[in-house]
Amino acid sequence: MEPVHIIGGGLAGSEAAWQIAQAGVPVILHEMRPVRGTEAHKTEGLAELVCSNSFRSDDALSNAVGQLHWEMRRLGSLIMDKGDAHQVPAGGALAVDRDGFSQAVTAALEAHPLVTIDRAEIAGLPPAEWDSVIIATGPLTSPALAAGIQSLTGEDALAFFDAIAPIVHFDSIDMGVAWFQSRYDKAGPGGTGADYINCPLDRDQYEAFIDALLAAETTEFKEWEGTPYFDGCLPIEVMAQRGRETLRWGPMKPVGLTNKHNPTVKPYAVVQLRQDNALGTLFNMTGFQTKLKYGEQAAIFRMIPGLQNAEFARLGGIHRNTYLNSPKLLDARLRLKADPRLRFAGQITGCEGYVESAAIGLLAGRLAAAERLGREIEIPPATTALGALVNHITGGHIVTIDEGPRSFQPMNINFGLFPPIEGQATHGPDGKKLKGPAKSVARKHALTARAKVEMEAWAGGEQAQAAE
């Protein structure tokens, strides 16, 4: 049987290799370290953790990443198995001994009879004779391979820097303060004329907001990232430093809008949020890319009327990160539409985080193995964490509702990616009406309970098909 080739030995590539080999298909894992190093990696180990050693919350009842942990364990994840084996104390989070974890992943793959590890750089696109390839090269994809991908897909295929605005859960926005309206009621190519949520500020609120921005702490670029500021994506705090009115005549301009809650009073400034996913559960803060530290962001953005109780699906940032415009370029099975022998996995697809990268590697590996064995498996339902994540990557994102630039950005798993539950319970076991935090907890529990049932059904069906 011809092998499946995987380029990249990070978490996604390692997980994909394990899943393929466990399915009985030979795999060659190509990792360029130590032949060619990167600016961030320190060792030649597979699945090296280059930043934090945390896989974040392990709470599978109330947390979306905890639910993803649960699903990956259910599906025989190598990354979760070795993470559990090398856990270090971290409260409710799963954190690992980074060296022990990487060494264990490397040893498991080296010992597997169907895994071959090739220590060499794949410079440019894979050879034509490789008929099944998973590219899992992450945010530090080698320049030669990145150029090859661009040659297949066009110049806008890859982003090399994120300029990310915060993303807010819709149900945490106070629509008694905010309202839906596009500037001048203009309907863009995919819009209706009421496509933005608008949060109004009076003069005192705007001045206090600017003061907070100017006083806030920012994160620094890593040495190898450079400083990727350009006028199209300046951080809001940099704009504020250029003059107190800069934001008011930039992303916070109040023109062409009428506050439906108070139509006779013109706002001094307006923050707009644009729908970010097809479900309408997430909205991004338009033009609010930032290098503010996360704690500062949450406090400052909750100063904005309408966002005082905002829950963030992700906070803003600007950093180096190579990733595809996946909703446009990949099919539902993570294959490149321009060359379907190439499948992508991990951060390069537009997911964010160790666990999410490994999860997409797990799915890509299973899809590639099934394809090699002459089977075709279904994608997990969007009601599961894994299904919700891949749905966001390949089709759940709204490309644009206006003439603006592409807006697809890397995303961690979060409950905003899950389809809402219809007819959710409004009262607790004691008969009292659920409010505030209790209502939010009940919603999360309902989402994870549904996800577990759906994942069990999907995994059981996949196992039955493999046994035929």
Side-chain angles (χ1 to χ4, degrees), residues 238-312:
V238 173
M239 285 190 267
Q241 290 165 5
R242 293 186 172 188
R244 297 186 70 87
E245 291 289 288
T246 303
L247 279 172
R248 201 166 81 87
W249 297 110
M252 295 178 70
K253 58 181 178 287
V255 301
L257 298 165
T258 300
N259 184 348
K260 78 169 191 177
H261 304 297
N262 197 359
T264 61
V265 176
K266 185 173 179 61
Y268 189 73
V270 173
V271 172
Q272 289 197 307
L273 295 94
R274 179 172 61 187
Q275 187 173 336
D276 197 77
N277 68 339
L279 294 171
T281 53
L282 299 174
F283 279 72
N284 69 70
M285 298 177 67
T286 307
F288 265 57
Q289 55 277 347
T290 178
K291 284 290 285 182
L292 294 177
K293 290 191 172 179
Y294 282 174
E296 301 266 27
Q297 287 187 46
I300 292 171
F301 296 148
R302 289 186 181 125
M303 294 172 65
I304 297 166
L307 302 185
Q308 61 271 15
N309 299 312
E311 293 182 17
F312 296 94

Side-chain angles (χ1 to χ4, degrees), residues 39 203 281 291 342 344 399 406:
E39 301 95 326
R203 182 167 191 155
T281 53
K291 284 290 285 182
L342 304 181
F344 285 80
V399 177
R406 82 175 199 176

